[in-house]
Each structure stands twice: as C-alpha cells, then as structure tokens.
Amino acid sequence: MMNSYDAKSSSHLDRSKSLRSDRQSHSNVLDIEIFDISLRGKLPKVGKSSWDDFFCVRISVCNQLQTTGWALRSYKWNKTHRFKVEESSKVTFNIDACDMRQCRRIGSFEDTVERLLKCAGPIKRTVSLYGSHGQEIEIYFRIAQMQSSTINKLSISYIDLQDLPSVHHDTFCVQVAIDDTIWESPSKSSNQGRSRWTDGYDFPFQPDSHASLQIFATRWLHKNKPIAVVEGFVKEWLAAPNGVVHMTLESGGTKIQTEFKVSQTSGAPAAGSYRAEEAANLTVEQTGVPSTKQIDALDISAVILDIDRVPKFGKLSWDDRFFLEVHAAGSGGSQNITSQGQQGDKCLMWDTTFTFNVSQTSQLVFRVLGYDGKDSEPIPIGIAIFDVDELLRQNSLIRRPLLSSAASVRIDGIPTLSFRAAQAGAMSFTRSLSFFTQELSAAVNRTADLHVQPHQSRDYGQDKRIIEHIISRASKDTGGDEHLYPLLVKISIFVSVAERLAKLHPYARIAYAILATGYEVIRQNIACEYGIIRLMHTMQDTYDLVMTVDALPYLHKQKNVLEAILQQTIECAFFIRDYLNTRGSFAQAIKNSALNMEAQIKAFEIAFTDLQRSFQSYMAVSTQLTVLKILEDVQDLGAKADFRDMSYAVDARCAASYAVHLPANSAAPPSDLITSLQSWVIGDSKESERICLLSGPEELCSSIALLIGEQFQFASRLGSSYCFRGTRHNDTRSYTNLFSTIARDLADRNAQFKQNLWRAVGNETSLRKTRVARTQFEDFILAPSRDVIWNGPFLVIIDGLELGGNEAARKEVLSVLVDAGAELPRNLRFLITCRLEDDICKAFRGQSHVLRRQLGEATPPASRAENFEDYVGV
C-alpha cells in the first residue's frame, strides 16, 4: 500500500515529467557553430618559462563535449565546433592550462545559446582566473546558427596511400569524382612507398551517386598514368565503419593500401551515413567525466611532418639529423621515446610504431628537433600536445599544426604533423559483438561463482534465461552469414567465460582472432565448401555443450578438456582460413598426400566429437592434437635425416628460468600490446611484414618475448626461440649458430620442411657444418621453406639480438635479415627484441618487410621533474 508521502511524491514527479515533456515539445532544436576562438590578455604563467605553457578550451553543451586542442598563448583556433542544441541550453567554456608536468583548469564561464546567438560579430567574455585574486583574461569567439540545407554534401579527406609501387619519378596524385564533380590533389613524392593528403574537399551528392578515387603516377612530359582506382556508390562509402574506407588495390603485382575519410557535412542524413559533426561530439556522463574507451597501450604510427622548407643545421645537408621525441605523461607515471627520422621531399618521416602504456587521462607531447651531427645541442623545431581521449575519438589520421617558438630556426609557413593513433591490438574485424558481452559476463560470473560459495542459494532459472536469451539474440544477428558468424558468437561468449579461468583467457582470444581477422575471406569463399560448413557446425555444437548453464559452475574442474578444445579450435581455425584463402595450392598439397580433403575434415570432426564425450563424462582427455596430415608418405626419408653435425645452441630457448624479469614494482606488459603482437603473428597486418623488431627496456622486452612464446607454444605454433639474455652452463650461443639452431627446431615442427632441409644438406658435410650466418639463413631456412605448406603461422623468437656479439659480429646477421627477410614465407614470422642500438635501427629503417615497434622508456620518479624541464625546452 502506498502511504501519503509516496502518493504526494509520485504526483509531484508526474507533474514534473509533464512540464518537462511540455517544455521539450515546444523547444527548438538548433544546429550551431562555434568558431574563431582565441584567448587574450595576461595569460597566467604555468611553467618555468612562458614558452612551456599551453592552453586549450573545452566546450560542453547538451551532453556534448569538444576541445580546441592544445596551443601556445596568443593562438587563434581555426577549428569549427558543431553542436545540436536547444535555445535554452547552457554552453560552458572551460579553459585549461598545462606545462607538461600538470594540467589544471584556470577559469570558466557559461551562458545560454539564446543569449549568445543574439550577439552580433565576435563575442568577448571576461573570465576571472581561479585563485588569482581578481586577475582576468578575455576569450573571443563567434557563434552562428547553421542554416538547414537541402543540398546533400559530403567531404573526402585524409587520403593515405601505402605500399605504392616505384613508378617514373615516384610522384603521385589522386583524383576524386562524385558524378560530374571532380577534384584533383596536388602531386606529392612518395616516401618509403607512402603519400598522404590531409586536406578535404566537399562534393554535392545523391545516395545513388557514382563515386571514384583514382591514383595517378605523375609524369613530366606526358599525361599522368592511372595505376589504380576505387569505384562504388556514395551510399556504400558513407556506410563505411567510422566513416573510414579501407581498400587494397592491385597495381602491377603491387598491393596498394588505400584509406580515406568520408563524412556527410550537410543535407538530410543518408541511411547509415557517418556525419562529421556527430562523430566529433563526445557524450558527457552525469559525473561530468567524458566516456572513453578502456585502454592500456596506445600505438602511434606513420608520423609525417609536412614542412615547406626543411631547415638546415649543418654546413652540408647530409650532416643534418632530425629526431622525434614523444613524451607520455599520466597518473601512472611518464615515458619517453626518441627516434631518428628520414628526410623526404618537403617532409620528415618516421616508419616506427611507438607504443606507450597509457590511460584515457594521459597526455602525449610531440617534439621535433634538428641536429647538425656535431657536438652542438639539438635545436627544437616545434611542439604539439594531445590528450589520449582526444586521439581515441578520431577515426582516421590525426593532423595538427606544429607550434614553434624557436627564433633561431627559419621555417616557411606552418608545419603540419600527421600520424595514426589507435588502441594497440584493436582488431580489424568490424562487426561488433560487444552489445551482449557486459550483460552476459554478469550472468556467467554469478553462475560460475557458485562453486566458490557452495551454500549460496542456486537460482539457475533466471541466469539460465539471461544467458540463453543473449545467445539467441546474438545468434540471430547473422547479417546473412549462417555459418561463420554464429561460430564467432559462440567463441566470443567463451572468451567472456575464460576470463574467469585466467590461464585460458589469452588462448580463447587467439582462437577468436584467427577467424575474426579472416572473416571476409572465409565468408566470401565458403558457399560450396560443404565439408568446411559441416566442420564449423561441429565446432559450434562443441561450444554449445560447454556453454550450458548447468556446466558453468564446474568448468574449473575440466580445464584440461577446455585446453584441448581450444587447441583443436586454433588448429581448425587456421586450416579453414588458410584453405579458403589459398585454396588451389593448399588443396593440391592435401590431395598429393596420403589423405584427401574430405578425410582431413572428417578427422577434425572426430576430434571434436571425442572432446564432447570427454567433457560430458568428465573423462581424462588425450593430449594428442589432430593436425593437418601432409607428406605421410615421406616419413621414411624424414627418419633418415640426421642433423647432429649442424651447429646447435643447447639451452638457448626462451624460458622462465632464463628470462630477465620485470622489477617487482613494475606492471605486467600491457594486454593491448600483447593482443597486437598476437594479431601480427596470426596475420592481421600487411602481408609483407615478415619480421617484427621490438625495441625498448630490456626487462619489458624479455617479459613480452616469454609471454608470447608461452602462448604460441600452447597453440603449437612456436617454431623456435633463441634467447641471448641471461647466463647458461657451457654457453654456446653465438651469431654463428643462430640460424642453424632455428632451422633444426623448424625441422622438428614440419615434416615437409625437414625433408627439404635434408635434401639440401644430406650429402653436403661442409654445408651442414658452415658457421656463416648468410649461408645458414639462405640454405637452412629460406630454401627448404619455399614449397612448404604451413597450416597457420609459426613464430620464431630471437630475444636480445644485440647481446650475441659486438657491432662487427652482428653485421652479417643484420645484412641477411634486411636483404633476404622479405623472402620468408607468409606463415613464418620472426619476432626480434633488442635494445636501441644504432646499427640495428639503421639497418632496419625503411624496410617494408619489417614492422618496427618501439616501447616507451619509463622515467624514474626521482628524476621525473628534471626530465620534464629538460624535455620541454622549446
């Protein structure tokens, strides 16, 4: 029964809702623009020098938040901020200042949209500074109501081309056409196969308009030569995830990676379109804190500084050196990275991926410096500051003017810094499964907790209904894919459960990632592959059995069966992906072996059926993994192979007993970084990247190598590991037995490789005993692997490359990895960790088959303040 207080309260709430609803129904919804923002007056001094100080303005209205970005004092921001508001809405301007040691709010003011729109011309407001005893500054800005337009317009911007072929003068341009409207970019020289245009151009369009982007190689005396084209309809481009179109274009045997941003800027929104002003808005929660992605590692890559005139520092241009310093600062501490760049035509470039351990509240400071190669100190060219949450909101390239206060450096125009920023390990699979994950995890956790609290009342009914409803809802959203997507849903659900079984979690993610990264290839080629479809449904049945609500509380008792299921899933996932991706050569290899395709699939199905029985009966499971059967008819030849007189380093493998561990107070390697490296090994990257060079702190690199090695050992995908770190009894590790040791390990993993290796060296005693690194790599690894069928990738780890000898000793090792590393088969990946030695960095710089990753160096707390002061010096 409701008491009198409850009745009055309910009546009051009803009246309030009615009044609020009435006000909302009569309120006008407007589209407004705020632009030409600048700060004037005596801005406060935050750092030791006024040149250390940076300022930004954050504008919030109607649960939308936008920021101007950080800039030096007396700077005018040209960015236009668009909002959807009501006339009665309040607009709040918060002014922040930072000196890279700290960021703090120095003042704010607010006003209503209605009053601001009545002001003519530039608006001036006086802001009292917090804690300044009456000191004031002025903020100027303009505000205007956007007129509704019946003309549909879209913007094409941030065009980025990678892996361009070497054609004519390596100068390129692009031409974009929407129906009869054509725009052609200025010509740009490619640097390391990359050209980039960040400016945008607006086109009128209709949803059924034809669209094309054509790439031309520019020629001096003849007409420009078209080399590749992207064609489609505007509605398809507008429906691209996050408004970014990714395409791989073929041109004379070269695969050009093409990316550009598409956004509708005016007119009635097209169905599924991506609107720029909506993308720029960030929802503000009731706490006033912007909602951002959870992140523990951020990748910064493809950094380019466009500059009209590259400054000179030395007497001769080849004396000049240019460096990029990136400083990450947040609540968890600070990190620094320094990297030497390459000079191009009117630009400076860095081809390394920089990885930082950050949070959403961290800041990144970019500083570009020049050096004359002598004993003088580096001279700063410019600086730019970014908030991590701002970077995560961007959906394409990041672009920002590089601000400079160095009077001694002559710079024409305003240099522009552009780069990519993304959460490390972000998967390329675009179909989101996260809409059910949170609700599912809660129900799974409640059910799985029952074994911890056995006396707790066991209400299976409600959780069972939740789990079954979520699985049913997720499974219905197939997007026309009745085979692969339902299997991905089941494995994704298992990932949520595996979080409770910590040891299984990374392996469950690997199984999911294999199928997710190959989603488009599998979906497009599976139509008539009835055996593969049958295998997928058998795998689905296995996960349906594991995920029954009655089984959840007891999964901890069946870890060995679950491990076997995951191992078999990983093996079959690689088989499905690689068979459908390279169908001709893969199928032929199976047909030439003792088993045919149907028999191989049947063997995988039987393996899953046996695992289902083991799970149901709590039986001990066999550790024998059912793998791809190739070349069973050459077992006799393989048995005769004897590689004992090939140099082999005993106890060189990466193992916990030999690893250089992180200090006790250090955090574990960021999970996002581990996921990113997993994706590279699995194949979610450019096909040309056979080698990953991971440089950074010794302890962190060693821990990452050990962790990645353990994960791929579990997946039966660790081909070999060779660790130069730590001490060994009777140590025989050397560059002269590095590749022979790796070759012998690979021979134990693949019978076909073993056969080929024995054919090459069986009757060549002198070749077997060679200690020449180049000969070992070319004859022991490259030659035997050329016609080998690898079911899924195999990882080779070389940990601590710089520790195997001095610079002269490793010259030949670096030379052969640079010259011949691109010839490695696509499923053989080399992960190399090292400290930042000059000869190693120089050797691998600009190599398209090498993915270079540099980890942030943590700044010791005791010296952090001094480091900041030295770092800023602009």
Side-chain angles (χ1 to χ4, degrees), residues 366-618:
F366 290 71
R367 193 169 71 142
V368 180
L369 304 102
Y371 176 58
D372 64 2
K374 309 298 181 183
D375 296 329
S376 60
E377 289 294 320
I379 300 174
I381 297 174
I383 192 169
I385 302 179
F386 300 86
D387 295 327
V388 168
D389 62 349
E390 174 192 359
L391 298 180
L392 291 175
R393 294 199 302 273
Q394 303 296 318
N395 300 296
S396 185
L397 293 169
I398 313 296
R399 180 191 181 198
R400 183 71 58 80
L402 191 75
L403 305 174
S404 175
S405 59
S408 58
V409 180
R410 179 187 168 188
I411 297 177
D412 297 335
I414 300 177
T416 301
L417 186 73
S418 60
F419 57 90
R420 296 181 180 280
Q423 182 173 357
M427 199 173 296
S428 63
F429 181 58
T430 55
R431 299 191 64 185
S432 175
L433 298 171
S434 61
F435 66 93
F436 62 82
T437 301
Q438 186 174 0
E439 187 179 357
L440 173 70
S441 294
V444 165
N445 287 344
R446 285 194 300 271
T447 307
D449 275 338
L450 294 179
H451 78 273
V452 179
Q453 301 173 335
H455 301 297
Q456 179 180 332
S457 59
R458 301 189 175 207
D459 181 10
Y460 286 127
Q462 182 179 1
D463 288 329
K464 183 175 181 178
R465 286 191 296 272
I466 292 174
I467 294 171
E468 291 177 346
H469 173 67
I470 293 170
I471 293 174
S472 173
R473 184 156 52 100
S475 301
K476 286 178 182 177
D477 180 27
T478 64
D481 173 14
E482 300 176 356
H483 310 300
L484 177 56
Y485 188 70
L487 176 59
L488 279 172
V489 169
K490 305 295 172 56
I491 298 177
S492 177
I493 292 169
F494 185 75
V495 170
S496 299
V497 178
E499 290 180 2
R500 300 302 308 273
L501 308 170
K503 185 180 177 184
L504 296 179
H505 186 224
Y507 311 126
R509 285 199 175 276
I510 290 175
Y512 175 80
I514 298 163
L515 295 173
T517 55
Y519 178 81
E520 288 301 326
V521 170
I522 298 172
R523 185 181 63 83
Q524 292 170 9
N525 294 288
I526 201 174
C528 298
E529 298 293 342
Y530 301 112
I532 297 291
I533 292 172
R534 198 174 65 246
L535 174 58
M536 283 186 177
H537 285 285
T538 303
M539 295 167 72
Q540 286 184 47
D541 294 340
T542 305
Y543 282 95
D544 284 340
L545 178 65
V546 171
M547 291 304 304
T548 57
V549 69
D550 293 332
L552 290 177
Y554 307 102
L555 290 183
H556 67 289
K557 297 181 179 180
Q558 301 218 59
K559 277 191 176 183
N560 65 325
V561 182
L562 296 178
E563 285 180 358
I565 289 173
L566 281 175
Q567 287 176 321
Q568 195 63 63
T569 301
I570 291 170
E571 184 71 23
C572 290
F574 280 130
F575 170 76
I576 291 169
R577 187 193 69 177
D578 287 1
Y579 170 73
L580 294 176
N581 193 27
T582 57
R583 190 178 320 191
S585 58
F586 206 87
Q588 190 63 41
I590 297 176
K591 289 175 182 177
N592 291 341
S593 67
L595 289 179
N596 60 29
M597 182 67 183
E598 181 60 29
Q600 180 64 64
I601 292 175
K602 191 66 178 176
F604 284 140
E605 289 181 292
I606 292 172
F608 275 109
T609 303
D610 290 343
L611 288 168
Q612 292 175 23
R613 291 197 197 98
S614 297
F615 184 84
Q616 288 176 311
S617 59
Y618 284 80

Side-chain angles (χ1 to χ4, degrees), residues 192 322 340-344 347-351 845-846 852:
Q192 301 172 15
F322 297 94
Q340 184 174 344
Q342 292 180 283
Q343 183 173 340
C347 71
L348 303 173
M349 301 183 66
W350 288 264
D351 63 350
R845 186 177 298 135
R852 298 174 61 207

